[in-house]
Amino acid sequence: MAVLSLLVLFFSNLCFPVLNVATASNIEFQGRALLQWKMALKTQELLDTWTSKTSPCNWTGITCRYNGHRMPTITRVQLGQLGLEGELETLNFSALPSLRVLNLSNNHVHGSIPTCISALSKLTILDLSANNLTGIIPSELGNLTRLKTLWLFENQISGSIPLSFGKLKNLNSLDISAISLVGSIPLVFGNLTKLNVLYLWGNDLDGSIPCDIGNLVNLRDFEISDNQITGHIPHSIRNLTKLETFYLSGNNIKGSIPGEVGNLMNLRDFNIYDNQMTCPIPDCIRNLTKLESLHLGKNNINGSIPSEIGNLLNLRDFGLYENQITSSIPPRIGNLTKLESFYLGNNNINGFIPSEIGNLVNLKYFGLYKNQITGSIPPSLGSLKCLIYLNLDNNHLSGILPIEISNLTNLMYLQLSYNNLSDNLPPDLAKGGLLQYLGLSYNNFQGPIPL
Ligand SMILES: *[C@@H]1O[C@H](CO)[C@@H](O)[C@H](O)[C@H]1NC(C)=O
Ligand SMILES: *[C@@H]1O[C@H](CO)[C@@H](O)[C@H](O)[C@H]1NC(C)=O
Ligand SMILES: *[C@@H]1O[C@H](CO)[C@@H](O)[C@H](O)[C@H]1NC(C)=O
Ligand SMILES: *[C@@H]1O[C@H](CO)[C@@H](O)[C@H](O)[C@H]1NC(C)=O
Ligand SMILES: *[C@@H]1O[C@H](CO)[C@@H](O)[C@H](O)[C@H]1NC(C)=O
Ligand SMILES: *[C@@H]1O[C@H](CO)[C@@H](O)[C@H](O)[C@H]1NC(C)=O
Ligand SMILES: *[C@@H]1O[C@H](CO)[C@@H](O)[C@H](O)[C@H]1NC(C)=O
Ligand SMILES: *[C@@H]1O[C@H](CO)[C@@H](O)[C@H](O)[C@H]1NC(C)=O
Ligand SMILES: *[C@@H]1O[C@H](CO)[C@@H](O)[C@H](O)[C@H]1NC(C)=O
Ligand SMILES: *[C@@H]1O[C@H](CO)[C@@H](O)[C@H](O)[C@H]1NC(C)=O
Ligand SMILES: *[C@@H]1O[C@H](CO)[C@@H](O)[C@H](O)[C@H]1NC(C)=O
Ligand SMILES: *[C@@H]1O[C@H](CO)[C@@H](O)[C@H](O)[C@H]1NC(C)=O
């Protein structure tokens, strides 16, 4: 009843007093479809400007375009973050043939994505992210070949990535992360050569990274972390020279870091944390001079830390812990003056701590625990004024704890247990007042603990 009376109102408000469906203009059909959808929402009060008394072009979230005869048509429906609760099934997509943008992100839209959504043939932006959508991704989405942006992340969608996505050749940005997708990454992605952003992280995808990823020469951000991806990193990544972010962490990827990464001259973040990568870090890493973040931790990487690492002058975060590195720390590490975190724990690193480490004046976190480091702690460590965390546990360090350590007034964690350090501790060790944890067990320290 409510729907009917509203429609009557709507029609009585038109310029032409005698009006039937056959002569109603486009905008009236469009407004009617939207009002019908509103009536089915649980939160109608959030769209109180949506009434039959005003033109749909004046409603919240609605944008119209006017043709040569000043006839309006709805081109954008942007209703993000309003708290809307309802379904998409009740929206008559056929009535909105000119829609370019549909953005319902951050609401409580539930139910599935209707197959008739493919009626929105002019759509360039579809954002249904952060809702409560269920069901599968309908293959009909592949009919929306003008789409540039497709965001479905953070829903409870399941099923696999439809092969029909191979038709979305205008896509710039595809974010289907964190929606429980299964199956493999379909080969059809090689068709999407305009993609800048491809987010597939946080699903249950398996299979390997398809070789035709090398066709995505415009790719800037590629994130497939936290899936079940296997296989190797394909050599075809050499083509992805615009890549800035490459996240593969939390998968089951094997093999070596291919030498082709040396071509990815624009890479800023490279993260393969927690995979099954083997073999040494390739020398070609020296090419990646824009790298700010390099996470290789929790793999089976062996061999040495290449001294070429000293070329990566923009590096801020370097994680190599839980691997099988057997070399010493190259002195050229001292070049990385922007470094803030440096984690080498749980390897078989030997040799001395190079005194050049004292050049890393921005270092906050330094983890070198569980290695085979010998020699003494260099006094230059006292130059690391930003240091918050220093963990040298479980090595073969000997000699004294240099007095310069008391200069580390930001230090909160100082872990030195299971070494062979001796003599007295510097009396001013805790003068910064921030020290929360001091691990000294299994050394040969003498005298008082200055706390
Ligand atoms: C739209 O709103 C404006 C004022 O905000 C008003 O002047 C105009 O008449 C309205 N148009 C229609 C068609 O409702
Ligand atoms: C959708 O709208 C939200 C604001 O509600 C905005 O943050 C988001 O960027 C929009 N999505 C797209 C794809 O433009
Ligand atoms: C949907 O809109 C189209 C075009 O305006 C119309 O022909 C059709 O009858 C509508 N369908 C429903 C179920 O309202
Ligand atoms: C949507 O999902 C969130 C989190 O999964 C839940 O808290 C909320 O109750 C759901 N809302 C609806 C309308 O289903
Ligand atoms: C839309 O896609 C489906 C499946 O991908 C297909 O069967 C159908 O013919 C397409 N419809 C149109 C109008 O292109
Ligand atoms: C990929 O593009 C080719 C060439 O345009 C086309 O023939 C093929 O159907 C597309 N593949 C898919 C899966 O859409
Ligand atoms: C690299 O990209 C070109 C297009 O620029 C393509 O023809 C070639 O097949 C790609 N190579 C690989 C290995 O994917
Ligand atoms: C380093 O980059 C250059 C392009 O600037 C390229 O020619 C060279 O092959 C790359 N080296 C490695 C080891 O990848
Ligand atoms: C690293 O491990 C691989 C595979 O386990 C092995 O073939 C290679 O010889 C090792 N290299 C070094 C330098 O230890
Ligand atoms: C890195 O430091 C070494 C000395 O340890 C120096 O010879 C080299 O030129 C530096 N490289 C860069 C790129 O600054
Ligand atoms: C430590 O601080 C003292 C002054 O307290 C200063 O003389 C010394 O040069 C500093 N050492 C380092 C390594 O920064
Ligand atoms: C520990 O250091 C002392 C000298 O301070 C040395 O005599 C001893 O051999 C060292 N022990 C080990 C296990 O390295």
Side-chain angles (χ1 to χ4, degrees), residues 302-314:
N302 59 8
S304 62
I305 304 173
S307 68
E308 283 82 358
I309 228 77
N311 272 20
L312 310 186
L313 300 180
N314 289 303

Side-chain angles (χ1 to χ4, degrees), residues 211-215 217 236 238-239:
C211 287
D212 69 349
I213 205 81
N215 286 343
V217 293
S236 61
R238 85 171 73 89
N239 261 4

Side-chain angles (χ1 to χ4, degrees), residues 13 53-58 66:
N13 193 36
K53 298 198 183 80
T54 50
S55 158
C57 303
N58 271 13
Y66 297 83

Side-chain angles (χ1 to χ4, degrees), residues 104-158:
L104 299 174
S105 68
N106 265 290
N107 284 295
H108 307 290
V109 181
H110 54 94
S112 54
I113 303 174
T115 54
C116 348
I117 201 163
S118 66
L120 304 176
S121 61
K122 301 245 170 75
L123 209 60
T124 58
I125 297 179
L126 177 59
D127 185 352
L128 302 175
S129 62
N131 278 292
N132 293 62
L133 291 165
T134 50
I136 59 163
I137 302 179
S139 74
E140 282 77 3
L141 269 187
N143 293 349
L144 303 179
T145 54
R146 296 198 187 185
L147 275 181
K148 291 184 172 154
T149 303
L150 176 55
W151 290 359
L152 303 176
F153 60 89
E154 285 176 39
N155 278 291
Q156 285 101 53
I157 297 171
S158 49

Side-chain angles (χ1 to χ4, degrees), residues 386-403:
C386 300
L387 211 57
I388 293 171
Y389 167 88
L390 177 61
N391 189 342
L392 305 175
D393 280 357
N394 279 288
N395 279 290
H396 307 299
L397 291 164
S398 54
I400 59 160
L401 183 60
I403 192 156

Side-chain angles (χ1 to χ4, degrees), residues 42 93 126 136 251 277 306 344 354 372:
K42 286 206 183 117
F93 296 102
L126 177 59
I136 59 163
N251 282 291
M277 306 290 293
L344 297 174
Q372 315 287 338

